[in-house]
Amino acid sequence: MKQLTKKWGKSLGIYLALMIIFPFVMPDEYYRSVGIIIGLQAIVAIGLCLVMGLAGQISLGQASFWGIGAYTSAVLTTKFGLTPLVGLVASAIVPAVFAFILGRAIAGLQGYYLAMATLAFGYIVQIGIQEWEPVTGGASGMISIPQVPFFGGSELSMYYLIWGIVTCVLLFSLNLMHSRIGRAFRAIHKSEVAATSMGIDVRKFKLNAFVVSGMFAGISGGLYAHYMGILDPQPFGMHESIKFLTMVVIGGMTSIWGALIGTLVIGFISEGLVMLSEVVPGLQGDVDTIVFGGILVLIVMFMPEGLVPRIRSLYEKAQAKKAAANAEQRVERKAAI
Amino acid sequence: MTTLLTVQDLSRDFGGVRAVNHVDFEVKQGEILALIGPNGAGKSTVLNMVSGVIPPSEGEIRFANQLMTRVPGYEYAKLGITRTFQNLQTFDDMTVLENVMVGMHTKTHSSLFSCGMSLTTARREERTMQERAHTWLEKVGLSSLASSHAGSLPYGKLRLMEIARAMVAEPKLLLLDEPAAGLNHTETAEMSRMFQEIRENGTAILLVEHDMDMIMTIADRIVVLDQGSKIAEGTPREIQENPCVIAAYLGTEEQVESRG
């Protein structure tokens, strides 16, 4: 832990403080539930960031791993009577296995082909959930999924449970990014030839990144199922996958913090749109999709590196300027003497 | 001296074009072998085959008595072959130090899980990597730039960084693809000294280069390629006096006539 605080001291401190005080600044139950959903999305986005930002593998089917995780735990607890804890473990493993199989199958694909393959996988999973009625309840979904027994399961305790897991996922990913494994991912992203010549098994590492991201999405999905108590296939489609993608791109694909910030930005915009739609009657329906699509286009056009890297480079430039100005002053002073 | 690398009857076709045509040569332990020839002679193609980037169309490559043609590309570093690239292949968004640390991939073993959990073993390994990378950055003279982003470095420095990145893996054979391209005289001289030091420490070097000054000072032997075939092999002095080599580089009167 000492190392952690040394490496990301400031950002981590600010993050923890904000995360802990949020439910007290916004004591409304509604905002706590919004906070929970944002936390769940952040887990998926951080996983997607590992596979997309670090290893450079686009995935347009991330919501399907989320869905597989959700339904795994829901089915195991409601149909087989297992405890949510067992369900949650399974909701991490089953999507990881799916990610492994899919990852093996599409190992040779790159760019558009990879995007298309993951997109198709997303559709297959959503349709699969819809059609496998005896198990998943089909389009009408599942009800009375048991809650996670965590300090009574109130909105507040769920908030801390989920953001505790977000914190674990965040730290794990930050550690990973600054280790030999993370550097191998980033090396693959820049040059597969160079990575190979350094002894990195490109296929294996891409697969690893894919499996970890699937696992994170699955954990989040399981928690989502138990938190909501009801499930239907609708949130696990392409729309949600694009939303996850937008979060990662806005925040800055190459930054784990970026995935978290991107999730928050999208969360704020969603909430803003909900509020606005109460005032402006025309803003109902899938307006958020249009807005997110627009943001994605604008980001790609004007800030392709994303928010966090942009702010970081601005900050570094300002620091350099300040240092240069100081040096100049010193020279002037010397000259005056 | 024992033989480290044996290339036998090596050929490579690109579409219908034969880029490398039945080439044989050997690299002995602890020597610098230079591969020279006019543009398009197939030097880089040979280097790419020896480093496992592309498979040969025909022929055999043996390294330390192991047949390399079936070995996947990522195993080469572990077996003791690392390389630099003609058109630099650097990881621009990483720092110089991180770039060099990637070179130690095969020397480290922490798993994804222990890296993510930052277990003691992973942290210890990370420290060792940093120390060794720093040692090599010092040797190539980039210590002061260790924490700069590689993308912000000039060309010449990136070449040095690639050499450090290849050397931290402690290879038995270092492959260099035009390391002196774009460098000035002093930089080239410094680099030559460094290669001699590397050789003295037991790493053999296979070098593709256009800079004749560098080759004549450091190469123990030279192999000359022209249009995919080997036309000469020998010590720098022998090569300088070889009529075939002079003809390949400058052309002969007969050739000019026959083409005209």
Side-chain angles (χ1 to χ4, degrees), chain A residues 278-310:
Chain A
E278 279 162 17
V279 191
V280 188
L283 272 181
Q284 253 110 34
D286 278 344
V287 179
D288 57 341
T289 315
I290 298 168
V291 174
F292 296 145
I295 291 171
L296 194 57
V297 171
L298 288 176
I299 288 276
V300 170
M301 279 171 69
F302 297 111
M303 199 168 55
E305 76 272 36
L307 268 174
V308 170
R310 170 63 66 96

Side-chain angles (χ1 to χ4, degrees), chain B residues 29-213:
Chain B
Q29 226 146 37
E31 77 166 343
I32 297 181
L33 179 75
L35 206 54
I36 66 169
N39 283 326
K43 308 178 297 282
S44 287
T45 312
V46 169
L47 213 62
N48 282 339
M49 287 191 276
V50 173
S51 60
V53 173
I54 53 172
S57 307
E58 274 174 57
E60 271 186 4
I61 299 168
R62 281 179 185 279
F63 178 73
N65 288 324
Q66 186 174 3
L67 186 63
M68 297 300 279
T69 11
R70 290 278 174 76
V71 174
Y74 59 85
E75 292 277 357
Y76 278 60
K78 205 191 290 171
L79 293 170
I81 301 181
T82 58
R83 66 169 297 174
T84 67
F85 295 87
Q86 183 187 355
N87 45 352
L88 299 166
Q89 299 278 338
T90 56
F91 311 126
D92 290 348
D93 57 338
M94 292 191 216
T95 66
V96 171
L97 183 69
E98 284 178 312
N99 262 275
V100 177
M101 284 164 81
V102 175
M104 289 190 70
H105 188 83
T106 53
K107 295 271 161 196
T108 48
H109 310 282
S110 300
S111 67
L112 193 148
F113 180 77
S114 64
C115 283
M117 299 301 281
S118 195
L119 300 181
T120 324
T121 47
R123 284 210 305 272
R124 200 179 301 139
E125 220 174 51
E126 183 82 6
R127 264 200 302 280
T128 325
M129 285 170 96
Q130 280 177 2
E131 279 160 22
R132 287 213 23 95
H134 268 302
T135 313
W136 266 101
L137 282 177
E138 220 163 278
K139 280 187 196 170
V140 301
L142 292 180
S143 296
S144 57
L145 294 168
S147 52
S148 320
H149 279 266
S152 67
L153 258 58
Y155 203 68
K157 306 268 184 217
L158 291 176
R159 291 219 170 273
L160 291 168
M161 188 187 80
E162 277 206 343
I163 293 166
R165 191 177 68 181
M167 282 308 295
V168 284
E170 299 172 337
K172 293 183 194 121
L173 175 64
L174 175 66
L175 310 176
L176 299 163
D177 201 350
E178 299 199 20
L183 301 191
N184 64 31
H185 256 297
T186 25
E187 286 171 327
T188 311
E190 259 170 52
M191 196 175 259
S192 299
R193 263 199 299 282
M194 193 166 71
F195 292 157
Q196 280 165 325
E197 218 180 288
I198 289 172
R199 171 182 55 186
E200 262 135 50
N201 290 322
T203 298
I205 295 177
L206 175 58
L207 170 78
V208 167
E209 185 50 65
H210 278 300
D211 189 299
M212 284 301 157
D213 275 351

Side-chain angles (χ1 to χ4, degrees), chain A residues 73 76-77 81-91 145-149 222 226:
Chain A
S73 198
L76 286 179
T77 48
L82 296 172
T83 69
L85 198 66
V86 178
L88 285 174
V89 171
S91 74
I145 302 161
Q147 280 198 327
V148 183
H226 293 294

Side-chain angles (χ1 to χ4, degrees), chain A residues 51-131:
Chain A
V51 77
M52 217 168 80
L54 296 195
Q57 302 298 293
I58 195 164
S59 169
L60 288 177
Q62 212 60 17
S64 57
F65 296 121
W66 202 42
I68 294 169
Y71 272 92
T72 302
S73 198
V75 169
L76 286 179
T77 48
T78 53
K79 307 254 154 143
F80 297 94
L82 296 172
T83 69
L85 198 66
V86 178
L88 285 174
V89 171
S91 74
I93 295 168
V94 174
V97 170
F98 270 93
F100 181 80
I101 295 165
L102 177 68
R104 278 295 284 268
I106 63 176
L109 301 182
Q110 281 177 338
Y112 300 127
Y113 299 101
L114 185 67
M116 265 147 57
T118 51
L119 185 70
F121 177 75
Y123 271 115
I124 292 168
V125 168
Q126 199 185 19
I127 293 167
I129 292 172
Q130 246 166 49
E131 298 301 317

